[in-house]
Amino acid sequence: MRRVAIRVAAFAAFAFSAHAFAAETQFVLITHAPDSDPFWNVVKNAIKDAGQDFGVTVSYRNPPNGDLADMTRILEQVAARNYDGVITTIPDFDIVQAPIRKIAAKHIPFITFNSGTERQSEALGALLHVGQREYDAGMAAGELAKAAGVKRFLCVNNNVTNPESFERCRGFGDAIGADFKQSTLDSGNDPTEVENRVFGTLSKRPDVQAILALGPTSAVPSLRAVQQRRLTGKIYFATFDMTPEINRAIAKGTVAFAVDQQPYLQGYIPVAMLAIMKRDKTQDIDQTRKTLLADANFQRRLKLYGLVPQFGPRHVSTGPSFITRDNVELVEKYAGQYR
């Protein structure tokens, strides 16, 4: 009976400790994205799942209209509080570095993800960066287009306030031997505006052989513009990221491929690693990575959603991979939620 009582007491103490950890551990994730961009719904699902799996509370904050000045104000507010961990994008290093350095100066552990480079992340003092190298992703996409005979393209950029977004256009252009600056269109984020601008550009530039959209926000209205110009099936179309609409277009052959950067991993991994570091009182990235890879919940989610992270010595690469007509069925049911 005494042993049973000890075990019950130990279990109660553990349960109380876990509850206290969850109640007291507060993380915040900040992005540059407007509310209208569906890409970030997957990230939101990921941070919710990671919070549940690792017993932490995660807040999501962003500038509703994608205004980087607004994002800077959010970062300033975060720096003034004592969060247990911060996760942020780096859409424009020069604009956001000052408030992020204030977070670093308070010795708050933070991880960068999605936008920005590994070098920028290190310069700011982040523990690591989780995402894909945008130029490499654009280059890989361009190589596929080059193999299909593409020499001239239109890069539809709905996120021109993010300097890293141009790296996708530049990589694609370098791969096919085209000038990305002359090939890039500032489309804006309003669907009607995107459609009209793409329609107008295709009218003025009948030599365009391919369209590269930098996300579903620009891809879906661009597809409508292509249809209006009666170019469906005649123009090579590729995009970054997925939605159910994009996947249906891939299955039909209207879209050649989508570049998949696995946004679920971009949200899940930073939360999980910060939680492990907080719980185990360590900033040893190698040990934290090993602990994460051994975690049953993480492995279950990787298998369930067909996700493949690439852990380097410090940083984590989540892409690029490509969704084509050959494999779209494998991810179609999770598009917009977990893929």
Side-chain angles (χ1 to χ4, degrees):
M1 289 295 294
R2 183 172 179 273
R3 285 195 295 269
V4 170
I6 291 173
R7 288 172 184 167
V8 170
F11 178 79
F14 173 79
F16 176 80
S17 175
H19 176 75
F21 180 78
E24 294 176 2
T25 304
Q26 303 282 331
F27 297 156
V28 61
L29 181 145
I30 309 106
T31 82
H32 58 277
D35 291 339
S36 60
D37 192 337
F39 172 89
W40 300 93
N41 293 333
V42 179
V43 174
K44 292 175 185 177
N45 289 337
I47 65 175
K48 179 182 177 182
D49 289 349
Q52 292 175 346
D53 289 350
F54 290 90
V56 296
T57 301
V58 189
S59 302
Y60 178 93
R61 299 195 62 184
N62 69 299
N65 296 317
D67 182 3
L68 291 191
D70 193 10
M71 180 186 179
T72 299
R73 286 190 289 271
I74 293 171
L75 287 166
E76 292 279 1
Q77 293 168 2
V78 167
R81 294 189 57 182
N82 294 316
Y83 283 99
D84 295 293
V86 174
I87 304 158
T88 184
T89 60
I90 314 173
D92 188 317
F93 183 85
D94 292 334
I95 291 177
V96 301
Q97 66 166 316
I100 293 178
R101 291 189 189 281
K102 290 181 181 179
I103 294 169
K106 294 184 70 174
H107 303 290
I108 298 172
F110 72 98
I111 292 173
T112 61
F113 80 112
N114 182 262
S115 294
T117 66
E118 295 169 359
R119 181 176 296 178
Q120 290 172 341
S121 177
E122 292 173 7
L124 291 170
L127 293 166
L128 68 149
H129 183 76
V130 181
Q132 72 176 359
R133 294 174 178 172
E134 303 295 8
Y135 178 83
D136 293 349
M139 172 69 81
E143 291 292 348
L144 293 178
K146 181 180 179 180
V150 172
K151 296 180 180 179
R152 295 175 297 277
F153 80 117
L154 177 67
C155 187
V156 186
N157 189 345
N158 61 290
N159 197 18
V160 296
T161 57
N162 182 350
E164 277 297 300
S165 66
F166 289 96
E167 289 299 286
R168 297 176 173 181
C169 305
R170 185 169 73 90
F172 193 97
D174 286 352
I176 67 172
D179 184 341
F180 86 95
K181 291 182 179 179
Q182 295 181 1
S183 304
T184 300
L185 173 69
D186 176 3
S187 68
N189 281 296
D190 179 79
T192 302
E193 185 178 4
V194 174
E195 183 177 344
N196 290 338
R197 289 189 180 185
V198 172
F199 182 91
T201 302
L202 291 177
S203 300
K204 296 175 183 177
R205 292 183 52 192
D207 64 327
V208 170
Q209 297 173 299
I211 287 178
L212 176 68
L214 298 195
T217 299
S218 56
V220 174
S222 292
L223 283 169
R224 291 197 295 267
V226 168
Q227 184 178 23
Q228 286 188 29
R229 290 289 302 163
R230 297 182 179 179
L231 294 172
T232 302
K234 299 177 183 178
I235 198 164
Y236 191 91
F237 198 105
T239 184
F240 280 74
D241 308 322
M242 296 179 294
T243 63
E245 297 95 330
I246 297 299
N247 281 358
R248 286 194 292 269
I250 292 173
K252 291 179 181 178
T254 305
V255 172
F257 62 82
V259 181
D260 179 22
Q261 60 177 305
Q262 301 181 111
Y264 186 89
L265 292 179
Q266 293 182 9
Y268 191 101
I269 289 175
V271 173
M273 294 193 75
L274 284 176
I276 292 169
M277 289 177 174
K278 172 73 173 177
R279 183 193 64 197
D280 296 350
K281 297 180 175 59
T282 180
Q283 288 195 3
D284 186 320
I285 293 175
D286 185 56
Q287 184 56 50
T288 301
R289 179 175 64 247
K290 291 177 181 177
T291 302
L292 176 59
L293 287 172
D295 184 81
N297 283 322
F298 182 53
Q299 288 298 326
R300 175 174 58 84
R301 295 190 186 280
L302 292 181
K303 183 177 181 180
L304 182 63
Y305 306 138
L307 299 164
V308 184
Q310 299 176 21
F311 287 87
R314 176 172 178 178
H315 307 292
V316 182
S317 175
T318 63
S321 59
F322 294 92
I323 305 304
T324 67
R325 205 170 187 177
D326 293 333
N327 62 3
V328 67
E329 289 184 3
L330 299 176
V331 300
E332 188 170 15
K333 63 181 177 179
Y334 295 123
Q337 290 184 296
Y338 306 104
R339 293 298 304 263

